[in-house]
Amino acid sequence: MDDYTLPHDSLFLGFDSSTQSFKATVLDSNLNIVHTELVHFDSDLPHYNTKDGVYRDSSINGRIVSPTLMWVEAFDLILDKLANSLDFGKVAAVSGSGQQHGSVYWKNGGSALLSSLDSNKPLVDQFRGAFSIEESPIWMDSSTTAQCREIEKAVGGALELSKITGSRGYERFTGPQIRKIFETHPDVYRDTERISLVSSFMASVLIGDYACIDQTDGAGMNLMDIKSRTWSKLALEATAPGLEEKLGKLAPAHAVAGKIASYFVERYHFSKDCLVVQWSGDNPNSLAGLTLSTPGDLAISLGTSDTVFGISKDPHPTLEGHVFPNPVDVEGYMVMLCYKNGSLTREVKSWDVFNKFLEQTPPLNGGKMGFYYKEHEILPPLPVGFHRYILEGFTGDSLEGLKENEVPEFDPASEVRALIEGQFLSMRAHTERFGMPSPPKRIIATGGASTNQSILSSIASIFGCDIYTVQRPDSASLGAALRAAHGWLCSKKGSFVPISGMYKDKLEKTSLGCKLSMSGGDRQLVSKYAVLMKKRMEIENRLVEKLGRC
């Protein structure tokens, strides 16, 4: 029997550099959470003047960026907070999660800077002036539509790009962002020594050298061949000249990026033998943290963005959705749908008010249906706008003879239900269209809104399956800590080992277990939602035809 034992008294540290915050989760050798920490960008680092962790550029339609240096200072701050109660010397391995698609542009000389950090100074003081672009394009950006179409055309069309890279051209993906920089600021592109993702950027800081981009996060760039898990020459040439040298090599997500840099040994007293395991994207880390390993299960992450994802051995990329290599299975893949309008669209005065409004309205909302886009949406590809419809006489039995009226607004309670039902009806429709299981065997919900029972009830009624939740809604940093332990184990064994061996038969004794939070919805109500979903997709298709960005 294989030995999956982790060293007694050791700790495994996982970070999550997300859109609005920087989080940390620490696991012990029994995979139980022993410490967590959080830095919130807007409130803890107010001098950057971000809102929701980002800058929205009013002069360029769809441009949304974050100050790269803010992430560095947040790293300083969270390490200082952890140092108050954590013995870093016990940390055997570190890994992390970064918001997907975001990119960092190192000036010439970046490698030399990384290798000569002064442990007497905070990181933020040493990284000023290190970047050829000081504001990193992030996943919320939608300013690269022209570049997406150019790349698609160069490789033989949108579907061909999807077959190669796992996704058609998406504005937030790193390849189109790089092409835009090359086209609009060729001097900046020329002076860029290395391009990192948020994930590989933070790993680079930790090892004091340029870290590889991992194959899972690398699939979110429109640049990697998902079958060979190498850079696609065709996609690289369609994006910008000399790009492969600026990207560096790819590595499996379970690989060791390097040992922790002397800066952290001297300043925070990490062990010099502490391993830094490849960082990856936030959604892949959530997949790991949720221990999602059964085909037929789906996860729904309710954060700044909302995502739906599952696993597959034989995915078939299409014109919507994404295929990435599975970060914890060297032969498998994860499939995902992404919605930009997540938690920021759901914001009301309080969850109490939100729940009160939901409870005041019946399921199906009396035929009231809404589309709410505070930001340019990814799925469907629609611009900022709000669209509300009333289906007069709707009972859920049939669409025959229904009269559809567009209206300017609903009463507050109906507005909240239309917002919630609309998002999950869209998810159900697009998961079915993408070939994900319907109904799923179960859904594991994570993210901030997964603690809300009223929302979980709506998911159960619309999807018609049981809803499970995990102990902590932050599955990304939890997954990063678990992946740190897994990477340590793979390194010790000298090759990849299945991650499930670490918690098999003892999941409920760890912090990784999940519990049933909401039973599947009433079958009759589920079928009525299916009728409403059909109507929603009719209206959505019309809106895309009239207003869509693709």
Side-chain angles (χ1 to χ4, degrees):
M1 182 176 174
D2 287 329
D3 180 15
Y4 288 90
T5 305
L6 298 169
H8 176 68
D9 208 29
S10 60
L11 300 174
F12 298 90
L13 175 55
F15 292 107
D16 175 31
S17 180
S18 67
T19 313
Q20 300 188 62
S21 62
F22 207 117
K23 307 181 191 76
T25 297
V26 184
L27 291 176
D28 64 14
S29 57
N30 294 313
L31 304 183
N32 284 305
I33 296 172
V34 294
H35 197 78
T36 62
E37 199 54 80
L38 168 72
V39 171
H40 189 265
F41 297 144
D42 290 3
S43 56
D44 290 327
L45 299 168
H47 45 284
Y48 288 97
N49 296 311
T50 56
K51 185 178 187 306
D52 309 318
V54 305
Y55 298 145
R56 292 170 173 82
D57 189 339
S58 58
S59 66
I60 301 175
N61 186 34
R63 181 175 183 265
I64 300 180
V65 296
S66 289
T68 311
L69 202 62
M70 178 179 73
W71 299 333
V72 177
E73 188 167 358
F75 199 28
D76 276 330
L77 186 52
I78 203 164
L79 286 167
D80 289 344
K81 285 187 172 188
L82 286 166
N84 292 327
S85 54
L86 187 67
D87 181 356
F88 285 121
K90 293 183 177 181
V91 176
V94 182
S95 190
S97 153
Q99 53 171 297
Q100 287 194 264
H101 320 299
S103 45
V104 174
Y105 299 80
W106 297 88
K107 267 185 186 174
N108 287 316
S111 177
L113 170 65
L114 281 166
S115 65
S116 58
L117 293 173
D118 182 349
S119 62
N120 293 311
K121 300 176 183 176
L123 292 168
V124 67
D125 290 348
Q126 301 180 71
F127 280 86
R128 298 185 198 279
F131 311 114
S132 53
I133 293 175
E134 295 184 350
E135 296 175 347
S136 288
I138 65 159
W139 67 272
M140 296 174 74
D141 187 281
S142 58
S143 66
T144 62
T145 306
Q147 287 75 23
C148 289
R149 301 296 85 82
E150 290 166 1
I151 294 170
E152 288 174 347
K153 183 178 179 181
V155 303
L159 185 58
E160 187 61 27
L161 183 63
S162 184
K163 287 178 179 177
I164 297 168
T165 70
S167 305
R168 67 172 301 165
Y170 280 94
E171 288 98 335
R172 71 190 192 281
F173 273 42
T174 325
Q177 294 289 341
I178 293 170
R179 180 164 181 79
K180 179 185 168 188
I181 290 167
F182 165 67
E183 289 180 341
T184 58
H185 299 94
D187 53 333
V188 170
Y189 180 79
R190 184 182 62 248
D191 293 339
T192 296
E193 182 175 275
R194 177 61 64 101
I195 300 172
S196 298
L197 296 181
V198 176
S199 55
S200 63
F201 166 61
M202 299 310 308
S204 299
V205 174
L206 275 170
I207 66 172
D209 194 5
Y210 288 140
C212 296
I213 291 172
D214 85 284
Q215 293 165 351
T216 301
D217 215 10
M221 301 174 76
N222 282 140
L223 293 173
M224 192 189 83
D225 185 315
I226 57 167
K227 291 179 181 174
S228 66
R229 306 191 184 199
T230 59
W231 296 123
S232 163
K233 301 291 186 186
L234 190 60
L236 290 173
E237 290 170 5
T239 302
L243 182 53
E244 186 169 5
E245 185 180 353
K246 294 180 187 294
L247 294 173
K249 295 181 178 179
L250 288 156
H254 68 272
V256 172
K259 287 190 175 180
I260 200 161
S262 60
Y263 174 90
F264 300 95
V265 176
E266 295 165 8
R267 188 173 178 89
Y268 295 104
H269 309 296
F270 278 87
S271 164
K272 62 181 175 54
D273 296 319
C274 176
L275 300 181
V276 179
V277 176
Q278 287 287 154
W279 286 43
S280 191
D282 48 5
N283 292 298
N285 275 282
S286 285
L287 182 143
L290 298 174
T291 64
L292 194 70
S293 57
T294 305
D297 286 356
L298 288 181
I300 292 181
S301 177
L302 302 170
T304 310
S305 65
D306 288 345
T307 55
V308 191
F309 51 89
I311 61 170
S312 174
K313 286 292 185 185
D314 184 30
H316 300 282
T318 66
L319 290 178
E320 66 180 34
H322 316 292
V323 176
F324 307 132
N326 188 323
V328 291
D329 178 356
V330 290
E331 296 179 350
Y333 295 85
M334 68 177 289
V335 290
M336 188 180 85
L337 302 173
C338 183
Y339 294 80
K340 187 186 293 186
N341 289 274
S343 63
L344 301 181
T345 308
R346 285 187 289 270
E347 283 183 348
V348 292
K349 291 180 180 178
S350 71
W351 279 124
D352 289 340
V353 172
F354 189 96
N355 292 337
K356 181 181 176 183
F357 282 155
L358 267 182
E359 290 161 7
Q360 287 176 3
T361 50
L364 306 171
N365 210 17
K368 298 185 182 77
M369 181 190 303
F371 298 75
Y372 300 88
Y373 307 127
K374 283 187 175 180
E375 307 282 356
H376 293 320
E377 186 50 89
I378 296 162
L379 186 66
L382 287 170
V384 171
F386 301 91
H387 313 276
R388 301 173 181 86
Y389 301 87
I390 296 177
L391 309 179
E392 292 186 6
F394 179 75
T395 61
D397 299 317
S398 170
L399 293 177
E400 288 184 24
L402 279 183
K403 188 177 179 183
E404 167 198 319
N405 291 320
E406 186 166 4
V407 296
E409 61 182 11
F410 297 140
D411 62 274
S414 297
E415 202 83 83
V416 166
R417 181 165 286 278
L419 172 66
I420 292 300
E421 290 188 343
Q423 186 78 318
F424 298 124
L425 284 168
S426 177
M427 285 185 182
R428 178 180 164 185
H430 285 283
T431 55
E432 291 180 3
R433 199 154 86 177
F434 194 47
M436 292 182 181
S438 180
K441 290 181 181 177
R442 64 173 180 167
I443 288 174
I444 305 174
T446 183
S450 66
T451 59
N452 186 294
Q453 293 296 302
S454 298
I455 288 179
L456 297 183
S457 178
S458 288
I459 299 174
S461 295
I462 289 170
F463 278 87
C465 67
D466 293 343
I467 312 298
Y468 287 73
T469 55
V470 286
Q471 291 182 29
R472 286 186 59 81
D474 177 34
S475 55
S477 66
L478 173 62
L482 178 63
R483 287 185 48 256
H486 180 235
W488 183 93
L489 195 61
C490 292
S491 177
K492 179 189 175 187
K493 299 284 187 182
S495 63
F496 177 83
V497 295
I499 194 171
S500 58
M502 298 172 62
Y503 48 75
K504 190 178 180 181
D505 301 326
K506 62 176 185 180
L507 195 61
E508 300 312 315
K509 296 179 181 178
T510 73
S511 291
L512 306 170
C514 56
K515 65 176 183 179
L516 177 64
S517 291
M518 193 64 60
S519 296
D522 170 78
R523 304 314 306 173
Q524 189 175 7
L525 181 57
V526 173
S527 66
K528 289 185 176 185
Y529 271 121
V531 176
L532 187 60
M533 178 184 73
K534 183 179 178 182
K535 185 61 179 179
R536 180 181 179 86
M537 292 307 289
E538 284 180 18
I539 297 173
E540 179 185 298
N541 291 337
R542 291 204 311 264
L543 288 171
V544 170
E545 193 173 325
K546 180 182 178 183
L547 305 170
R549 302 191 323 277
C550 292

